[in-house]
mmCIF file of all heavy atoms in Angstrom:
data_model
loop_
_atom_site.group_PDB
_atom_site.id
_atom_site.type_symbol
_atom_site.label_atom_id
_atom_site.label_comp_id
_atom_site.label_asym_id
_atom_site.label_seq_id
_atom_site.Cartn_x
_atom_site.Cartn_y
_atom_site.Cartn_z
ATOM 1 N N ALA A 17 24.094 -14.409 -2.412
ATOM 2 C CA ALA A 17 23.349 -14.492 -3.672
ATOM 3 C C ALA A 17 22.521 -15.775 -3.736
ATOM 4 O O ALA A 17 21.355 -15.760 -4.137
ATOM 5 C CB ALA A 17 24.307 -14.421 -4.855
ATOM 6 N N ILE A 18 23.118 -16.892 -3.330
ATOM 7 C CA ILE A 18 22.405 -18.175 -3.386
ATOM 8 C C ILE A 18 21.274 -18.197 -2.353
ATOM 9 O O ILE A 18 20.140 -18.592 -2.656
ATOM 10 C CB ILE A 18 23.381 -19.347 -3.137
ATOM 11 C CG1 ILE A 18 24.419 -19.398 -4.257
ATOM 12 C CG2 ILE A 18 22.619 -20.667 -3.044
ATOM 13 C CD1 ILE A 18 25.540 -20.380 -4.008
ATOM 14 N N ALA A 19 21.574 -17.769 -1.131
ATOM 15 C CA ALA A 19 20.545 -17.734 -0.085
ATOM 16 C C ALA A 19 19.433 -16.763 -0.471
ATOM 17 O O ALA A 19 18.255 -17.007 -0.188
ATOM 18 C CB ALA A 19 21.164 -17.321 1.252
ATOM 19 N N GLY A 20 19.793 -15.666 -1.127
ATOM 20 C CA GLY A 20 18.788 -14.703 -1.578
ATOM 21 C C GLY A 20 17.852 -15.303 -2.607
ATOM 22 O O GLY A 20 16.642 -15.027 -2.599
ATOM 23 N N ALA A 21 18.382 -16.132 -3.508
ATOM 24 C CA ALA A 21 17.542 -16.793 -4.510
ATOM 25 C C ALA A 21 16.555 -17.743 -3.838
ATOM 26 O O ALA A 21 15.376 -17.802 -4.211
ATOM 27 C CB ALA A 21 18.422 -17.550 -5.505
ATOM 28 N N VAL A 22 17.028 -18.484 -2.841
ATOM 29 C CA VAL A 22 16.140 -19.391 -2.104
ATOM 30 C C VAL A 22 15.060 -18.603 -1.376
ATOM 31 O O VAL A 22 13.880 -18.986 -1.387
ATOM 32 C CB VAL A 22 16.954 -20.246 -1.105
ATOM 33 C CG1 VAL A 22 16.020 -21.087 -0.235
ATOM 34 C CG2 VAL A 22 17.931 -21.149 -1.844
ATOM 35 N N SER A 23 15.439 -17.497 -0.751
ATOM 36 C CA SER A 23 14.475 -16.666 -0.029
ATOM 37 C C SER A 23 13.417 -16.100 -0.978
ATOM 38 O O SER A 23 12.237 -16.019 -0.624
ATOM 39 C CB SER A 23 15.196 -15.517 0.687
ATOM 40 O OG SER A 23 16.082 -15.998 1.669
ATOM 41 N N THR A 24 13.849 -15.713 -2.184
ATOM 42 C CA THR A 24 12.908 -15.188 -3.172
ATOM 43 C C THR A 24 11.882 -16.234 -3.559
ATOM 44 O O THR A 24 10.679 -15.946 -3.654
ATOM 45 C CB THR A 24 13.664 -14.708 -4.430
ATOM 46 O OG1 THR A 24 14.541 -13.639 -4.070
ATOM 47 C CG2 THR A 24 12.698 -14.229 -5.504
ATOM 48 N N LEU A 25 12.342 -17.461 -3.779
ATOM 49 C CA LEU A 25 11.425 -18.543 -4.145
ATOM 50 C C LEU A 25 10.475 -18.869 -2.995
ATOM 51 O O LEU A 25 9.295 -19.155 -3.207
ATOM 52 C CB LEU A 25 12.215 -19.785 -4.554
ATOM 53 C CG LEU A 25 12.988 -19.658 -5.876
ATOM 54 C CD1 LEU A 25 13.855 -20.895 -6.111
ATOM 55 C CD2 LEU A 25 12.027 -19.470 -7.047
ATOM 56 N N TYR A 26 10.974 -18.813 -1.758
ATOM 57 C CA TYR A 26 10.086 -19.041 -0.618
ATOM 58 C C TYR A 26 9.018 -17.957 -0.541
ATOM 59 O O TYR A 26 7.857 -18.226 -0.231
ATOM 60 C CB TYR A 26 10.867 -19.082 0.693
ATOM 61 C CG TYR A 26 9.947 -19.178 1.895
ATOM 62 C CD1 TYR A 26 9.353 -20.399 2.237
ATOM 63 C CD2 TYR A 26 9.635 -18.055 2.660
ATOM 64 C CE1 TYR A 26 8.485 -20.497 3.314
ATOM 65 C CE2 TYR A 26 8.763 -18.144 3.728
ATOM 66 C CZ TYR A 26 8.202 -19.365 4.057
ATOM 67 O OH TYR A 26 7.337 -19.446 5.116
ATOM 68 N N GLY A 27 9.422 -16.718 -0.833
ATOM 69 C CA GLY A 27 8.465 -15.620 -0.797
ATOM 70 C C GLY A 27 7.295 -15.844 -1.733
ATOM 71 O O GLY A 27 6.162 -15.453 -1.435
ATOM 72 N N LEU A 28 7.564 -16.473 -2.873
ATOM 73 C CA LEU A 28 6.473 -16.764 -3.805
ATOM 74 C C LEU A 28 5.433 -17.669 -3.158
ATOM 75 O O LEU A 28 4.236 -17.511 -3.382
ATOM 76 C CB LEU A 28 7.028 -17.414 -5.070
ATOM 77 C CG LEU A 28 6.004 -17.756 -6.154
ATOM 78 C CD1 LEU A 28 6.567 -17.485 -7.542
ATOM 79 C CD2 LEU A 28 5.557 -19.224 -6.068
ATOM 80 N N LEU A 29 5.878 -18.607 -2.342
ATOM 81 C CA LEU A 29 4.966 -19.575 -1.735
ATOM 82 C C LEU A 29 4.002 -18.933 -0.743
ATOM 83 O O LEU A 29 2.999 -19.546 -0.374
ATOM 84 C CB LEU A 29 5.769 -20.676 -1.027
ATOM 85 C CG LEU A 29 6.728 -21.480 -1.914
ATOM 86 C CD1 LEU A 29 7.468 -22.515 -1.088
ATOM 87 C CD2 LEU A 29 5.976 -22.155 -3.061
ATOM 88 N N THR A 30 4.290 -17.722 -0.301
ATOM 89 C CA THR A 30 3.412 -17.059 0.673
ATOM 90 C C THR A 30 2.269 -16.304 -0.001
ATOM 91 O O THR A 30 1.429 -15.734 0.688
ATOM 92 C CB THR A 30 4.223 -16.073 1.543
ATOM 93 O OG1 THR A 30 4.717 -15.001 0.726
ATOM 94 C CG2 THR A 30 5.393 -16.783 2.212
ATOM 95 N N HIS A 31 2.251 -16.303 -1.322
ATOM 96 C CA HIS A 31 1.205 -15.578 -2.052
ATOM 97 C C HIS A 31 0.128 -16.549 -2.524
ATOM 98 O O HIS A 31 0.020 -16.863 -3.713
ATOM 99 C CB HIS A 31 1.804 -14.821 -3.244
ATOM 100 C CG HIS A 31 2.661 -13.673 -2.862
ATOM 101 N ND1 HIS A 31 3.942 -13.818 -2.390
ATOM 102 C CD2 HIS A 31 2.424 -12.331 -2.874
ATOM 103 C CE1 HIS A 31 4.456 -12.631 -2.126
ATOM 104 N NE2 HIS A 31 3.563 -11.713 -2.410
ATOM 105 N N THR A 32 -0.683 -17.030 -1.610
ATOM 106 C CA THR A 32 -1.760 -17.938 -1.971
ATOM 107 C C THR A 32 -2.806 -17.986 -0.868
ATOM 108 O O THR A 32 -2.486 -17.792 0.305
ATOM 109 C CB THR A 32 -1.225 -19.363 -2.226
ATOM 110 O OG1 THR A 32 -2.294 -20.221 -2.613
ATOM 111 C CG2 THR A 32 -0.557 -19.933 -0.983
ATOM 112 N N LYS A 33 -4.046 -18.229 -1.272
ATOM 113 C CA LYS A 33 -5.127 -18.485 -0.314
ATOM 114 C C LYS A 33 -5.406 -19.974 -0.209
ATOM 115 O O LYS A 33 -6.321 -20.396 0.492
ATOM 116 C CB LYS A 33 -6.395 -17.746 -0.760
ATOM 117 C CG LYS A 33 -6.281 -16.232 -0.698
ATOM 118 C CD LYS A 33 -7.607 -15.547 -0.966
ATOM 119 C CE LYS A 33 -7.937 -15.599 -2.441
ATOM 120 N NZ LYS A 33 -9.133 -14.772 -2.783
ATOM 121 N N TRP A 34 -4.609 -20.757 -0.915
ATOM 122 C CA TRP A 34 -4.787 -22.203 -0.980
ATOM 123 C C TRP A 34 -4.431 -22.870 0.350
ATOM 124 O O TRP A 34 -4.976 -23.904 0.718
ATOM 125 C CB TRP A 34 -3.895 -22.732 -2.104
ATOM 126 C CG TRP A 34 -4.169 -24.131 -2.542
ATOM 127 C CD1 TRP A 34 -5.168 -24.959 -2.121
ATOM 128 C CD2 TRP A 34 -3.430 -24.872 -3.506
ATOM 129 N NE1 TRP A 34 -5.102 -26.151 -2.761
ATOM 130 C CE2 TRP A 34 -4.042 -26.125 -3.633
ATOM 131 C CE3 TRP A 34 -2.316 -24.588 -4.288
ATOM 132 C CZ2 TRP A 34 -3.565 -27.103 -4.502
ATOM 133 C CZ3 TRP A 34 -1.853 -25.561 -5.157
ATOM 134 C CH2 TRP A 34 -2.465 -26.793 -5.257
ATOM 135 N N VAL A 35 -3.490 -22.268 1.071
ATOM 136 C CA VAL A 35 -2.978 -22.857 2.311
ATOM 137 C C VAL A 35 -3.614 -22.172 3.513
ATOM 138 O O VAL A 35 -3.630 -20.944 3.595
ATOM 139 C CB VAL A 35 -1.438 -22.716 2.384
ATOM 140 C CG1 VAL A 35 -0.913 -23.299 3.683
ATOM 141 C CG2 VAL A 35 -0.788 -23.381 1.172
ATOM 142 N N ASN A 36 -4.123 -22.971 4.439
ATOM 143 C CA ASN A 36 -4.720 -22.429 5.664
ATOM 144 C C ASN A 36 -3.634 -22.121 6.690
ATOM 145 O O ASN A 36 -2.441 -22.266 6.422
ATOM 146 C CB ASN A 36 -5.742 -23.415 6.224
ATOM 147 C CG ASN A 36 -6.935 -23.582 5.304
ATOM 148 O OD1 ASN A 36 -7.415 -22.610 4.725
ATOM 149 N ND2 ASN A 36 -7.421 -24.816 5.167
ATOM 150 N N LYS A 37 -4.044 -21.735 7.882
ATOM 151 C CA LYS A 37 -3.087 -21.431 8.950
ATOM 152 C C LYS A 37 -2.247 -22.669 9.277
ATOM 153 O O LYS A 37 -2.736 -23.802 9.241
ATOM 154 C CB LYS A 37 -3.830 -20.943 10.198
ATOM 155 C CG LYS A 37 -4.413 -19.539 10.050
ATOM 156 C CD LYS A 37 -5.010 -19.052 11.354
ATOM 157 C CE LYS A 37 -5.544 -17.635 11.224
ATOM 158 N NZ LYS A 37 -4.461 -16.654 10.963
ATOM 159 N N LEU A 38 -0.990 -22.434 9.626
ATOM 160 C CA LEU A 38 -0.033 -23.519 9.837
ATOM 161 C C LEU A 38 0.397 -23.637 11.296
ATOM 162 O O LEU A 38 1.549 -23.959 11.589
ATOM 163 C CB LEU A 38 1.188 -23.313 8.935
ATOM 164 C CG LEU A 38 0.892 -23.317 7.434
ATOM 165 C CD1 LEU A 38 2.150 -22.995 6.639
ATOM 166 C CD2 LEU A 38 0.329 -24.661 6.992
ATOM 167 N N GLY A 39 -0.522 -23.365 12.206
ATOM 168 C CA GLY A 39 -0.249 -23.581 13.629
ATOM 169 C C GLY A 39 0.888 -22.744 14.159
ATOM 170 O O GLY A 39 0.980 -21.533 13.912
ATOM 171 N N ILE A 40 1.790 -23.380 14.865
ATOM 172 C CA ILE A 40 2.890 -22.671 15.526
ATOM 173 C C ILE A 40 3.821 -21.986 14.524
ATOM 174 O O ILE A 40 4.498 -20.999 14.853
ATOM 175 C CB ILE A 40 3.697 -23.650 16.421
ATOM 176 C CG1 ILE A 40 4.617 -22.857 17.352
ATOM 177 C CG2 ILE A 40 4.471 -24.652 15.573
ATOM 178 C CD1 ILE A 40 5.308 -23.714 18.383
ATOM 179 N N LEU A 41 3.852 -22.476 13.286
ATOM 180 C CA LEU A 41 4.705 -21.862 12.269
ATOM 181 C C LEU A 41 4.294 -20.424 11.976
ATOM 182 O O LEU A 41 5.101 -19.631 11.479
ATOM 183 C CB LEU A 41 4.665 -22.680 10.976
ATOM 184 C CG LEU A 41 5.256 -24.090 11.045
ATOM 185 C CD1 LEU A 41 5.150 -24.774 9.690
ATOM 186 C CD2 LEU A 41 6.703 -24.059 11.520
ATOM 187 N N GLU A 42 3.034 -20.076 12.287
ATOM 188 C CA GLU A 42 2.559 -18.708 12.082
ATOM 189 C C GLU A 42 3.354 -17.712 12.931
ATOM 190 O O GLU A 42 3.438 -16.530 12.597
ATOM 191 C CB GLU A 42 1.075 -18.604 12.443
ATOM 192 C CG GLU A 42 0.145 -19.472 11.609
ATOM 193 C CD GLU A 42 -0.064 -18.924 10.209
ATOM 194 O OE1 GLU A 42 0.097 -17.692 10.027
ATOM 195 O OE2 GLU A 42 -0.380 -19.713 9.304
ATOM 196 N N TYR A 43 3.940 -18.180 14.044
ATOM 197 C CA TYR A 43 4.679 -17.312 14.956
ATOM 198 C C TYR A 43 6.176 -17.266 14.630
ATOM 199 O O TYR A 43 6.922 -16.509 15.244
ATOM 200 C CB TYR A 43 4.497 -17.785 16.401
ATOM 201 C CG TYR A 43 3.053 -17.773 16.854
ATOM 202 C CD1 TYR A 43 2.273 -18.922 16.779
ATOM 203 C CD2 TYR A 43 2.465 -16.607 17.338
ATOM 204 C CE1 TYR A 43 0.937 -18.910 17.185
ATOM 205 C CE2 TYR A 43 1.141 -16.587 17.742
ATOM 206 C CZ TYR A 43 0.384 -17.741 17.662
ATOM 207 O OH TYR A 43 -0.944 -17.727 18.057
ATOM 208 N N ILE A 44 6.589 -18.097 13.646
ATOM 209 C CA ILE A 44 8.022 -18.190 13.340
ATOM 210 C C ILE A 44 8.337 -17.676 11.943
ATOM 211 O O ILE A 44 9.298 -16.929 11.753
ATOM 212 C CB ILE A 44 8.499 -19.656 13.476
ATOM 213 C CG1 ILE A 44 8.197 -20.177 14.888
ATOM 214 C CG2 ILE A 44 9.988 -19.764 13.160
ATOM 215 C CD1 ILE A 44 8.474 -21.650 15.062
ATOM 216 N N PHE A 45 7.509 -18.071 10.979
ATOM 217 C CA PHE A 45 7.763 -17.721 9.585
ATOM 218 C C PHE A 45 6.648 -16.851 9.025
ATOM 219 O O PHE A 45 5.560 -16.778 9.577
ATOM 220 C CB PHE A 45 7.869 -18.995 8.726
ATOM 221 C CG PHE A 45 8.982 -19.917 9.134
ATOM 222 C CD1 PHE A 45 8.712 -21.092 9.821
ATOM 223 C CD2 PHE A 45 10.300 -19.616 8.830
ATOM 224 C CE1 PHE A 45 9.728 -21.952 10.201
ATOM 225 C CE2 PHE A 45 11.322 -20.459 9.195
ATOM 226 C CZ PHE A 45 11.042 -21.632 9.890
ATOM 227 N N ILE A 46 6.958 -16.199 7.895
ATOM 228 C CA ILE A 46 5.910 -15.555 7.112
ATOM 229 C C ILE A 46 5.189 -16.669 6.363
ATOM 230 O O ILE A 46 5.760 -17.306 5.477
ATOM 231 C CB ILE A 46 6.489 -14.542 6.108
ATOM 232 C CG1 ILE A 46 7.164 -13.392 6.835
ATOM 233 C CG2 ILE A 46 5.378 -14.005 5.202
ATOM 234 C CD1 ILE A 46 6.217 -12.543 7.651
ATOM 235 N N THR A 47 3.953 -16.924 6.722
ATOM 236 C CA THR A 47 3.157 -17.978 6.097
ATOM 237 C C THR A 47 2.148 -17.338 5.141
ATOM 238 O O THR A 47 1.931 -16.124 5.188
ATOM 239 C CB THR A 47 2.412 -18.797 7.160
ATOM 240 O OG1 THR A 47 1.484 -17.922 7.827
ATOM 241 C CG2 THR A 47 3.375 -19.390 8.179
ATOM 242 N N PRO A 48 1.514 -18.136 4.280
ATOM 243 C CA PRO A 48 0.509 -17.558 3.365
ATOM 244 C C PRO A 48 -0.594 -16.783 4.084
ATOM 245 O O PRO A 48 -0.944 -15.666 3.684
ATOM 246 C CB PRO A 48 -0.033 -18.795 2.644
ATOM 247 C CG PRO A 48 1.117 -19.737 2.620
ATOM 248 C CD PRO A 48 1.796 -19.547 3.950
ATOM 249 N N SER A 49 -1.160 -17.350 5.161
ATOM 250 C CA SER A 49 -2.252 -16.666 5.861
ATOM 251 C C SER A 49 -1.759 -15.415 6.576
ATOM 252 O O SER A 49 -2.432 -14.384 6.615
ATOM 253 C CB SER A 49 -2.911 -17.615 6.867
ATOM 254 O OG SER A 49 -1.996 -18.005 7.874
ATOM 255 N N HIS A 50 -0.540 -15.484 7.118
ATOM 256 C CA HIS A 50 0.050 -14.338 7.804
ATOM 257 C C HIS A 50 0.304 -13.209 6.800
ATOM 258 O O HIS A 50 -0.014 -12.045 7.055
ATOM 259 C CB HIS A 50 1.361 -14.764 8.475
ATOM 260 C CG HIS A 50 2.022 -13.674 9.248
ATOM 261 N ND1 HIS A 50 3.340 -13.358 9.093
ATOM 262 C CD2 HIS A 50 1.536 -12.804 10.175
ATOM 263 C CE1 HIS A 50 3.652 -12.334 9.890
ATOM 264 N NE2 HIS A 50 2.586 -11.992 10.554
ATOM 265 N N HIS A 51 0.874 -13.549 5.667
ATOM 266 C CA HIS A 51 1.170 -12.565 4.634
ATOM 267 C C HIS A 51 -0.107 -11.932 4.099
ATOM 268 O O HIS A 51 -0.186 -10.725 3.895
ATOM 269 C CB HIS A 51 1.943 -13.252 3.500
ATOM 270 C CG HIS A 51 2.498 -12.305 2.493
ATOM 271 N ND1 HIS A 51 2.845 -12.688 1.233
ATOM 272 C CD2 HIS A 51 2.761 -10.976 2.551
ATOM 273 C CE1 HIS A 51 3.296 -11.649 0.556
ATOM 274 N NE2 HIS A 51 3.265 -10.596 1.330
ATOM 275 N N LEU A 52 -1.121 -12.760 3.901
ATOM 276 C CA LEU A 52 -2.396 -12.265 3.379
ATOM 277 C C LEU A 52 -3.045 -11.270 4.330
ATOM 278 O O LEU A 52 -3.481 -10.195 3.933
ATOM 279 C CB LEU A 52 -3.347 -13.441 3.126
ATOM 280 C CG LEU A 52 -4.763 -13.096 2.650
ATOM 281 C CD1 LEU A 52 -4.703 -12.430 1.285
ATOM 282 C CD2 LEU A 52 -5.622 -14.348 2.594
ATOM 283 N N SER A 53 -3.084 -11.618 5.615
ATOM 284 C CA SER A 53 -3.763 -10.770 6.589
ATOM 285 C C SER A 53 -2.985 -9.502 6.902
ATOM 286 O O SER A 53 -3.564 -8.447 7.154
ATOM 287 C CB SER A 53 -4.016 -11.555 7.886
ATOM 288 O OG SER A 53 -2.789 -11.941 8.483
ATOM 289 N N LEU A 54 -1.660 -9.577 6.842
ATOM 290 C CA LEU A 54 -0.833 -8.435 7.243
ATOM 291 C C LEU A 54 -0.592 -7.457 6.101
ATOM 292 O O LEU A 54 -0.612 -6.240 6.289
ATOM 293 C CB LEU A 54 0.517 -8.920 7.773
ATOM 294 C CG LEU A 54 1.495 -7.843 8.260
ATOM 295 C CD1 LEU A 54 0.911 -7.119 9.464
ATOM 296 C CD2 LEU A 54 2.838 -8.454 8.612
ATOM 297 N N ILE A 55 -0.389 -7.973 4.890
ATOM 298 C CA ILE A 55 0.069 -7.137 3.789
ATOM 299 C C ILE A 55 -0.974 -6.926 2.702
ATOM 300 O O ILE A 55 -1.158 -5.820 2.204
ATOM 301 C CB ILE A 55 1.345 -7.741 3.142
ATOM 302 C CG1 ILE A 55 2.446 -7.898 4.186
ATOM 303 C CG2 ILE A 55 1.821 -6.876 1.993
ATOM 304 C CD1 ILE A 55 2.916 -6.588 4.782
ATOM 305 N N HIS A 56 -1.690 -7.962 2.331
ATOM 306 C CA HIS A 56 -2.508 -7.880 1.127
ATOM 307 C C HIS A 56 -4.009 -7.760 1.381
ATOM 308 O O HIS A 56 -4.803 -7.961 0.478
ATOM 309 C CB HIS A 56 -2.245 -9.109 0.239
ATOM 310 C CG HIS A 56 -0.937 -9.043 -0.490
ATOM 311 N ND1 HIS A 56 -0.784 -8.439 -1.716
ATOM 312 C CD2 HIS A 56 0.297 -9.513 -0.151
ATOM 313 C CE1 HIS A 56 0.467 -8.543 -2.108
ATOM 314 N NE2 HIS A 56 1.150 -9.183 -1.180
ATOM 315 N N ILE A 57 -4.428 -7.482 2.606
ATOM 316 C CA ILE A 57 -5.859 -7.316 2.889
ATOM 317 C C ILE A 57 -6.152 -5.848 3.165
ATOM 318 O O ILE A 57 -5.458 -5.198 3.935
ATOM 319 C CB ILE A 57 -6.285 -8.169 4.110
ATOM 320 C CG1 ILE A 57 -6.274 -9.651 3.726
ATOM 321 C CG2 ILE A 57 -7.644 -7.753 4.611
ATOM 322 C CD1 ILE A 57 -7.334 -10.036 2.706
ATOM 323 N N SER A 58 -7.217 -5.336 2.566
ATOM 324 C CA SER A 58 -7.683 -3.950 2.777
ATOM 325 C C SER A 58 -6.545 -2.951 2.636
ATOM 326 O O SER A 58 -6.382 -2.039 3.445
ATOM 327 C CB SER A 58 -8.320 -3.820 4.171
ATOM 328 O OG SER A 58 -9.389 -4.713 4.307
ATOM 329 N N GLU A 59 -5.749 -3.127 1.611
ATOM 330 C CA GLU A 59 -4.525 -2.344 1.460
ATOM 331 C C GLU A 59 -4.725 -0.832 1.476
ATOM 332 O O GLU A 59 -3.971 -0.116 2.124
ATOM 333 C CB GLU A 59 -3.799 -2.786 0.188
ATOM 334 C CG GLU A 59 -3.259 -4.200 0.331
ATOM 335 C CD GLU A 59 -2.580 -4.677 -0.938
ATOM 336 O OE1 GLU A 59 -2.739 -4.033 -1.975
ATOM 337 O OE2 GLU A 59 -1.895 -5.693 -0.880
ATOM 338 N N PRO A 60 -5.703 -0.279 0.779
ATOM 339 C CA PRO A 60 -5.804 1.190 0.736
ATOM 340 C C PRO A 60 -6.037 1.840 2.093
ATOM 341 O O PRO A 60 -5.721 3.003 2.286
ATOM 342 C CB PRO A 60 -7.001 1.425 -0.193
ATOM 343 C CG PRO A 60 -7.081 0.186 -1.026
ATOM 344 C CD PRO A 60 -6.700 -0.919 -0.097
ATOM 345 N N THR A 61 -6.601 1.081 3.052
ATOM 346 C CA THR A 61 -6.909 1.676 4.345
ATOM 347 C C THR A 61 -5.842 1.388 5.393
ATOM 348 O O THR A 61 -5.952 1.874 6.510
ATOM 349 C CB THR A 61 -8.252 1.135 4.860
ATOM 350 O OG1 THR A 61 -8.167 -0.287 5.024
ATOM 351 C CG2 THR A 61 -9.372 1.462 3.862
ATOM 352 N N ARG A 62 -4.843 0.625 5.024
ATOM 353 C CA ARG A 62 -3.840 0.248 6.027
ATOM 354 C C ARG A 62 -2.798 1.346 6.187
ATOM 355 O O ARG A 62 -2.393 1.963 5.200
ATOM 356 C CB ARG A 62 -3.176 -1.072 5.671
ATOM 357 C CG ARG A 62 -4.141 -2.245 5.629
ATOM 358 C CD ARG A 62 -3.392 -3.544 5.417
ATOM 359 N NE ARG A 62 -2.584 -3.872 6.586
ATOM 360 C CZ ARG A 62 -3.023 -4.528 7.636
ATOM 361 N NH1 ARG A 62 -4.284 -4.910 7.703
ATOM 362 N NH2 ARG A 62 -2.235 -4.811 8.662
#
């Protein structure tokens, strides 16, 4: 439950265009740019 709450709050941080690519972290974590390009871009055609 506690780890889930932390994960939920981290998920919020991935919803922004304010942060650019984060280098090697793009291959390890869900980052804002990764989330944007994978999930929230051109949604109806994906």
